[in-house]
Amino acid sequence: MKKSHDIRRYPGFGTVTVLFFLWLYAPIAVVIWLSFNENRIVSVWTGFSLKWYRAALDNGPLLDAVRTSLIVAVVATAIATTVALMAAMVLSRNPTMRGAKLSETVVNLPLLLPEIVLAVATLILFSQLGLADGMTRLIVAHSTFCTPFAFLPIRARLQGMSTDYEEAAQDLYAKPLTAFRRVTLPLILPGVFSGAMLSFVISMDDFITSNMLATGGTTTLPVYFFSLIKKSASPELNAISTLLIVLSLVLASAALVLSMRAMRRDP
Amino acid sequence: MTRGKAVEVFKVSKSFGDYQALKEVSFTIHENEFFTLLGPSGCGKTTLLRMIAGFDIPSTGSISLFGTEIGTLPPHKRRVNTVFQSYALFPHMTLEQNIAFGLENLGWDKARRKARVAEMLELVHMTPFAKRKPAQLSGGQRQRIALARALAPEPQVLLLDEPLSALDLKLRQAMRDELRTLQRQTGITFIFVTHDQDEALDMSDRICVLGEGRIQQLGTPSEIYEEPENRFVADFIGATNFLDVEVLSVDGPRARVRTPMGIEIEAAQKGVSGPGKATLSLRPEKIGIEDQAAGEIIAGTVTARNYMGGFTHYTVETRGAVLRVSRRNALSQAESYAIGQQVRLGIVAGSARVLGQ
Ligand SMILES: Nc1ncnc2c1ncn2[C@@H]1O[C@H](COP(=O)(O)OP(=O)(O)OP(=O)(O)O)[C@@H](O)[C@H]1O
Ligand SMILES: [Mg+2]
């Protein structure tokens, strides 16, 4: 490629880039900045303080909501990733199987349906079934809508992987399960990991379904957060947001490092 | 031959949907044999190999390994190993782990595994690389490890699918010799797939020429080259001149034909039943030129000349036919002929072959 095609030489490239990142991150920067504000009124800066962080960490209902969200996200991610992995294995290794196309569409369908529709449907189904336990309801619902997010990266990874490795493993006397555990799984691990990460984030972030299904004892973080905002715009919200941003960054970095390490092993 | 039967392929056919890739193929491979499946791209070589390895199941027919029918046995239950064209070394394992993989699955204990891995690395001259990952190797080195990995579990038969095609010319030649030596040392039956006739002629005990999903000929390299049974084989193996000839008489394995150049010759025949039309195959290096001309002599004019180093190929126009002639560049430049030059060609009846249409 010639130098003149380098996008960095286009007129206005620098300005547009700066504007874009400002637009993207300015709100977040403001939230972080104000979380250290000592004043009770969110938008008036009076001095540096960590008191909102202290308040956030002392807030019992908030911590309960974090705990609920984490449990739901971890369990739903485990279920969604396992189901997605099995679906991806079957679909990518038997593409001509009867019903393969249909199954793939069905797995991905939750991506296309409006979430509010799914949420209402789930709520109705659960009351029909008489499923009252809040945690179970959340986990079941989250596993469902997380599955396609876990499925897509795993599927892509399997698609890009030659079947030679699996055949070589079987050729070298590995039973199908051994071949999967020792060869296929390690090779698609970056895809499985991305799928699990996506699914975890989607679950942690979900509001519509969780709000619909929430019962007294099982409020997830986004639902609790929303109820706080409705009551008052306390600076505590800024502190909680900042903590969440930090948590996301840590998770995202871990994911990046792990997947880069896995990539480096590839030929 | 007193050797046992290593692999018996009996009336094996394979269809993919409507397409029939193999049609009733039958042959027997002997113990300790270097057996080559040779044929043009798409003729079904890989398909056949995959059925012996167990990755595909024959549509009809049966395959036996040392007398036991294995037609539907899954790959991990066959004492057969494969060297893949892509090598398929496990990228997340070191070379040692790659070689030990099969042994672990067979339940070999640790000490025995370790000894075998060391022995294999030694055999392919890769001992210093034991702890490396496949990505850190050159093509030739990967090839060696793929061989070591497939040989380690002491398979009854080793399958090799175009293992040399990814290597450069020099390395390919070296690996040919190495493979041949390995086969002799280990005494394992090799089934080698290639579309390279030189490779096949050079390495094999016997060659099975496949074409259009059928066996075209099965024989030793010299039988395949010198006594092709049909036009497909004569054309695919080596270069040849095909002449449309008229059969005058047939006498058992020999036929007398009139060539387009006007001369009549008697040559070995295959597939000709009586007078009529047939094809004469005449290898370029078996036509004598000028001082080497012997047998039936015809005159011609050189119309093209290709210098190939060891050989020079001439295209000679004679009355009735254009012939390609090769001459080995033995001694000096004196033997070369210029374009436009008149030359005498000699055809020895014994070197020609009459083939049915
Ligand atoms: N899974 C499949 N589905 C459909 N057709 C197939 C399949 N595998 C092979 N074929 C067809 O069967 C024929 C033989 O294929 P095969 O791979 O055995 O050829 P080959 O002799 O190994 O060729 P090459 O030298 O190019 O490797 C080809 O025409 C191919 O298109
Ligand atoms: Mg092939």
Side-chain angles (χ1 to χ4, degrees), chain B residues 45-47 85 161-162 193:
Chain B
K45 306 181 294 287
T46 300
T47 306
Q85 184 168 359
D161 193 356
E162 309 204 21
V193 162

Side-chain angles (χ1 to χ4, degrees), chain A residues 143-160:
Chain A
S143 321
T144 336
F145 66 70
C146 284
T147 302
F149 290 96
F151 176 77
L152 288 176
I154 301 176
R155 179 69 211 264
R157 182 80 190 177
L158 268 171
Q159 204 92 48

Side-chain angles (χ1 to χ4, degrees), chain B residues 114-134:
Chain B
K114 212 172 155 198
R116 183 68 175 164
V117 169
E119 184 189 346
M120 284 296 118
L121 283 169
E122 178 77 42
L123 186 69
V124 296
H125 318 297
M126 291 288 290
T127 308
F129 300 92
K131 302 274 187 241
R132 288 210 196 171
K133 294 273 178 78

Side-chain angles (χ1 to χ4, degrees), chain A residues 68-81 139 199-200 203-204:
Chain A
T68 306
S69 269
L70 282 176
I71 292 173
V72 170
V74 167
V75 178
T77 297
I79 295 173
T81 310
I139 288 173
S199 151
F200 184 83
S203 166
M204 282 296 283

Side-chain angles (χ1 to χ4, degrees), chain B residues 175-200:
Chain B
M175 281 308 294
R176 273 190 205 176
D177 299 339
E178 226 166 289
L179 268 180
R180 199 60 243 244
T181 315
L182 265 178
Q183 195 264 332
R184 289 213 191 90
Q185 277 176 7
T186 56
I188 291 173
T189 308
F190 276 35
I191 307 181
F192 182 86
V193 162
T194 182
H195 61 253
D196 182 331
Q197 36 149 328
D198 287 337
E199 239 167 63

Side-chain angles (χ1 to χ4, degrees), chain A residues 52-240:
Chain A
W52 301 116
Y53 284 90
R54 212 169 303 122
L57 294 175
D58 280 344
N59 182 339
L62 170 70
L63 295 181
D64 279 348
V66 169
R67 206 171 54 91
T68 306
S69 269
L70 282 176
I71 292 173
V72 170
V74 167
V75 178
T77 297
I79 295 173
T81 310
T82 310
V83 171
L85 182 59
M86 293 195 287
M89 278 300 288
V90 173
L91 290 175
S92 66
R93 293 305 177 239
N94 309 284
T96 54
M97 185 183 65
R98 260 183 60 219
K101 275 269 179 307
L102 183 68
S103 311
E104 181 146 12
T105 313
V106 171
V107 171
N108 285 324
L109 205 57
L111 283 179
L112 305 174
L113 293 175
E115 197 188 339
I116 187 78
V117 175
L118 273 180
V120 171
T122 315
L123 183 64
I124 295 171
L125 178 70
F126 283 169
S127 37
Q128 293 269 313
L129 291 175
L131 186 61
D133 180 60
M135 195 59 109
T136 315
R137 293 167 96 172
L138 281 176
I139 288 173
V140 172
H142 280 223
S143 321
T144 336
F145 66 70
C146 284
T147 302
F149 290 96
F151 176 77
L152 288 176
I154 301 176
R155 179 69 211 264
R157 182 80 190 177
L158 268 171
Q159 204 92 48
M161 190 181 120
S162 148
T163 52
D164 282 1
Y165 295 117
E166 282 153 278
E167 287 184 346
Q170 291 180 34
D171 191 62
L172 292 162
Y173 313 105
K175 295 189 189 79
L177 211 60
T178 316
F180 175 75
R181 187 173 50 81
R182 293 208 49 201
V183 174
T184 315
L185 189 59
L187 292 179
I188 59 169
L189 208 56
V192 176
F193 193 76
S194 321
M197 279 307 292
L198 256 179
S199 151
F200 184 83
V201 169
I202 296 286
S203 166
M204 282 296 283
D205 196 40
D206 178 71
F207 175 75
I208 298 179
T209 307
S210 307
N211 191 40
M212 197 80 78
L213 299 177
T215 56
T218 50
T219 310
T220 63
L221 187 58
V223 176
Y224 174 74
F225 211 83
F226 188 70
S227 69
L228 271 191
I229 292 176
K230 275 200 300 193
K231 270 189 272 169
S232 68
S234 154
E236 197 182 327
L237 285 174
N238 293 333
I240 300 171

Side-chain angles (χ1 to χ4, degrees), chain B residues 229-249:
Chain B
E229 284 180 1
N230 57 39
R231 203 181 152 124
F232 182 95
V233 176
D235 192 24
F236 187 68
I237 315 288
T240 193
N241 293 289
F242 282 126
L243 302 173
D244 295 324
V245 293
E246 193 171 326
V247 181
L248 302 172
S249 64

